[in-house]
Amino acid sequence: MQTLRLHASPLEWAGTTKASLAAFFLLFVFALSLPAKWASLHIAGLVLALAAGFARREDWRSPAMRTYLLCTALWLTPVLLTASLQHALGVATAPGWHELPVLVLRMLGIGLGLVVLLQRGWLSLHSAIFALLCALAIHAGAGLIDLLTTPDASLTHWRELRINGLVFNPNPFGMFMALTAILSAGLLRNPPRRPLLWALLIAALLGVWASGSRGAILTVAAGFAVLFPPVSRARLLVYLGGATLAAMVYLYVSAGVQHATMQSDNTRMQIISFTLEQIRQAPWLGWGIGAYEHLPGHVVNAPHNMWLDLAISSGLVALTGVLASIALLAYRLYRRGHPAARLALAVLAASVLAGTLEYSILDSTHFRGVWVLVTGIGCYTLNERLTHTSAS
């Protein structure tokens, strides 16, 4: 039987050549800078985009490259076309022309560069995941240190600290910790089960809980449901028991901020209602990238939903394109079937849910970076040349 080696030695994960070490460090810096949105994020992203220039002819013909190009073009092309039409028709909220090449570099260039680094062997699937986990572990540790060392620490005080701290907001912190937990759990599905992975998994789950983000809790649940599907009665009972316990703990912890929770829910309903009305007024053309906060009567600065944001920004064709893109990638990962594809599918499902609850592909720096990493690495797992070893 063929199984993918997700658990190489640390030396193999880090690579042995100068090019491998440079690629590893580049991805590490990109992932480390992403939650905090440091300036190094843009520098690392530009270098990743430039790495696409190393592609050979066979790289462009690979399943990974073709799938990434197709999955991105399905929604990015309508976004660019509608932006051009918005300018031609004089839509006041159309994005600036200078924003479109930047969007292409961020969504297409960075992903292509990542795929090229993987296909050229300068990054392996092992080293890429290891780089992500190393970067995310730093943020997990920073969050827990803050929680433990804050005088008179309380969850409410800690969340306020996080807003002005390393990742600026407890909701994105919760999302990144959710993805960290899913990656760690995915690696722990197969031996050897390294103690550091168990420690990171526990730290990430504590970060999810401490963040107070309901979206982060649901994001973890979505990823775990793909990694460990409830195919048996025993596992289904475990899921039901875990969901009940999590709900009880969350309700107990959030009892002191119940008013804020209800206010948040009411605000979300207002956002949805306003956004749907704006989509009805311009269903095919949209209003422009980032137009939401400039529309009269807007509730907050963004729809906080990837589907609504695409539709209000670039119309229903762009929304249809992203739906087709996600369905295609998810289907191909599901058909691929090996452990890496299952892990990539779990992270994809979790990211889609996170975007549905909170983020925008077009506007959110956090989510744009996550989406490129998730789809780029996910597409690479479709590469027929992915290294396998035989197992009896």
Side-chain angles (χ1 to χ4, degrees):
M1 183 177 65
Q2 296 278 315
T3 58
L4 179 68
R5 292 180 62 204
L6 281 174
H7 296 277
S9 69
L11 288 176
E12 184 180 348
W13 283 25
T16 55
T17 68
K18 291 181 179 179
S20 298
L21 292 173
F24 178 89
F25 180 74
L26 179 61
L27 183 58
F28 169 79
V29 171
F30 183 84
L32 180 65
S33 307
L34 181 57
K37 297 191 287 189
W38 289 323
S40 50
L41 171 67
H42 307 294
I43 299 172
L46 180 59
V47 177
L48 278 171
L50 293 174
F54 290 103
R56 297 172 178 172
R57 181 177 299 178
E58 58 268 25
D59 290 325
W60 294 106
R61 296 174 178 173
S62 70
M65 189 72 81
R66 289 181 299 182
T67 303
Y68 188 82
L69 285 169
L70 177 59
C71 287
T72 305
L74 279 172
W75 64 267
L76 186 58
T77 301
V79 167
L80 299 176
L81 289 176
T82 54
S84 300
L85 289 173
Q86 288 159 7
H87 276 283
L89 296 174
V91 177
T93 51
W97 285 112
H98 67 282
E99 296 179 35
L100 302 182
V102 175
L103 180 64
V104 172
L105 276 175
R106 286 172 171 168
M107 303 309 305
L108 192 61
I110 292 176
L112 291 178
L114 177 60
V115 172
V116 169
L117 292 178
L118 287 163
Q119 292 191 151
R120 294 296 301 275
W122 294 331
L123 274 177
S124 67
L125 188 59
H126 320 302
S127 64
I129 295 175
F130 186 54
L132 296 179
L133 286 177
C134 286
L136 292 170
I138 293 174
H139 291 292
L144 292 180
I145 289 172
D146 279 351
L147 182 62
L148 295 174
T149 59
T150 300
D152 301 321
S154 68
L155 291 181
T156 302
H157 188 186
W158 180 83
R159 290 164 191 160
E160 292 173 352
L161 178 66
R162 288 283 89 196
I163 291 174
N164 298 312
L166 188 60
V167 292
F168 302 106
N169 189 303
N171 284 337
F173 178 77
M175 177 188 69
F176 283 107
M177 291 304 97
L179 296 177
T180 304
I182 294 166
L183 286 172
S184 302
L187 296 182
L188 286 168
R189 292 176 71 229
N190 301 310
R193 296 178 175 86
R194 304 180 187 277
L196 286 177
L197 282 176
W198 281 109
L200 183 56
L201 173 61
I202 294 169
L205 290 175
L206 284 173
V208 169
W209 170 71
S211 72
S213 172
R214 291 172 293 174
I217 295 172
L218 293 174
T219 297
V220 168
F224 278 30
V226 175
L227 284 176
F228 311 100
V231 293
S232 65
R233 180 177 297 181
R235 188 173 287 182
L236 180 60
L237 291 174
V238 169
Y239 270 92
L240 291 175
T244 302
L245 178 61
M248 293 173 61
V249 171
Y250 180 81
L251 289 173
Y252 174 77
V253 171
S254 62
V257 291
Q258 187 173 6
H259 175 71
T261 300
M262 292 178 62
Q263 185 177 6
S264 174
D265 292 340
N266 291 334
T267 301
R268 285 182 180 272
M269 294 305 298
Q270 294 175 31
I271 292 171
I272 292 172
S273 177
F274 173 80
T275 306
L276 290 176
E277 174 59 24
Q278 299 303 312
I279 293 171
R280 186 192 66 80
Q281 294 181 26
W284 305 113
L285 189 63
W287 295 96
I289 300 171
Y292 183 93
E293 61 182 332
H294 302 295
L295 296 174
H298 69 275
V299 182
V300 289
N301 64 342
H304 293 280
N305 179 291
M306 60 185 285
W307 316 109
L308 293 177
D309 184 72
L310 269 168
I312 197 174
S313 299
S314 305
L316 296 178
V317 175
L319 175 60
T320 303
V322 80
L323 287 169
S325 167
I326 293 170
L328 172 64
L329 181 56
Y331 174 74
R332 295 200 64 183
L333 288 172
Y334 176 78
R335 288 291 303 272
R336 197 76 170 91
H338 56 58
R342 175 61 65 87
L343 178 56
L345 182 58
V347 178
L348 176 64
S351 301
V352 168
L353 182 58
T356 301
L357 297 173
E358 186 71 25
Y359 301 101
S360 162
I361 293 179
L362 299 176
D363 269 338
S364 170
T365 301
H366 287 132
F367 196 67
R368 276 198 308 254
V370 168
W371 193 255
V372 167
L373 292 174
V374 169
T375 54
I377 294 177
C379 288
Y380 176 69
T381 65
L382 303 174
N383 196 327
E384 296 296 333
R385 294 180 300 173
L386 198 60
T387 304
H388 290 73
T389 57
S390 297
S392 57

